[in-house]
Amino acid sequence: MAVVLVAFIGFVDLATGAELSSSVFYALPVGLAAWYAGRAWGLGLCGLAAFAWYEADLLAGAVYSAPWIPVWNALVRLLFFVIIASLLVRLRTALEAHRRLAEVDALTGLANSRRFLAAVDAETARAIRYRHPLSLSYFDLDGFKGINDRWGHKAGDAVLAEVGRVLRARLRRTDIPGRLGGDEFAVLLPETGADAAREAMEELRSDLLAAMGTRGWPVGFSIGVVTTEGRITGAEDLVREADALMYEVKRTGKGQVAYRSLSATSEAGAPDTL
């Protein structure tokens, strides 16, 4: 589209003659290319726009006192376009970096609660529409307060960062881990039924416990895993079910994993605890 715009503006520039300036209009396709297609396309459109402007001036019959003047003007215009493209590319990069920071928990590198809940919204809507299975794991770190009390908050931060590392390394690319605040984490497992969720969480829990043991941290995990195949009516329901199941584990002994399947035709039954 940017290339077509340059050609169209060049044609209009030629038709209106050398007396009317069209510089601001050439900046439009340059800006579009730099913003949406990146630095390489932006710089390419800079050269194309400067060349189109140069050719339109010559073909329109512009008269200069020396032959080098139109070349100089073309170079100045090229520099003008390059500045515009470079500024827009840097602005786009900065905005994307800011957006990523706003969606990622700085300590663990996982999705923060805002991004995670947005993902739950999207995946729940998809699961409801197509009646595909969806699982959500909600877990809390047992003994985390003791780490902070005994070794300080730096040690606590190291525990949280290690949990984030294990989650990023262990899960599938399609799974979405998130830190919801404090020592509470969640994992969204799209297209994952009850059996697959059980297998994934058993392996994840084993890896988490191994990581804690290697560092000598007396930390366990209370986990609630909910799988839905149509009964859930929205993201809030799914998160609430998993959160309640996790707290049920904590009340009945901690350090366990409880599973619950929700079907379209039955209410939630008693949790199956491992």
Side-chain angles (χ1 to χ4, degrees), residues 72-146:
W72 171 262
N73 288 345
L75 292 175
V76 170
R77 291 161 183 166
L78 175 62
L79 178 61
F80 169 68
F81 293 141
V82 167
I83 291 173
I84 291 177
S86 299
L87 289 176
L88 286 174
V89 168
R90 293 186 64 179
L91 177 60
R92 178 70 182 268
T93 302
L95 289 175
E96 290 180 348
H98 181 73
R99 179 183 58 80
R100 287 193 297 270
L101 288 175
E103 295 180 346
V104 175
D105 177 65
L107 182 59
T108 63
L110 305 178
N112 61 17
S113 60
R114 175 184 174 185
R115 179 183 174 189
F116 182 81
L117 294 176
V120 174
D121 276 332
E123 289 297 333
T124 302
R126 192 162 68 92
I128 292 171
R129 179 175 182 180
Y130 298 107
R131 302 191 69 80
H132 289 176
L134 177 66
S135 296
L136 176 67
S137 168
Y138 201 114
F139 64 93
D140 177 85
L141 276 59
D142 302 323
F144 180 72
K145 184 177 183 300

Side-chain angles (χ1 to χ4, degrees), residues 153-169:
H153 290 285
K154 285 188 176 180
D157 288 347
V159 170
L160 298 175
E162 181 66 9
V163 171
R165 185 196 67 78
V166 173
L167 290 176
R168 294 195 309 273

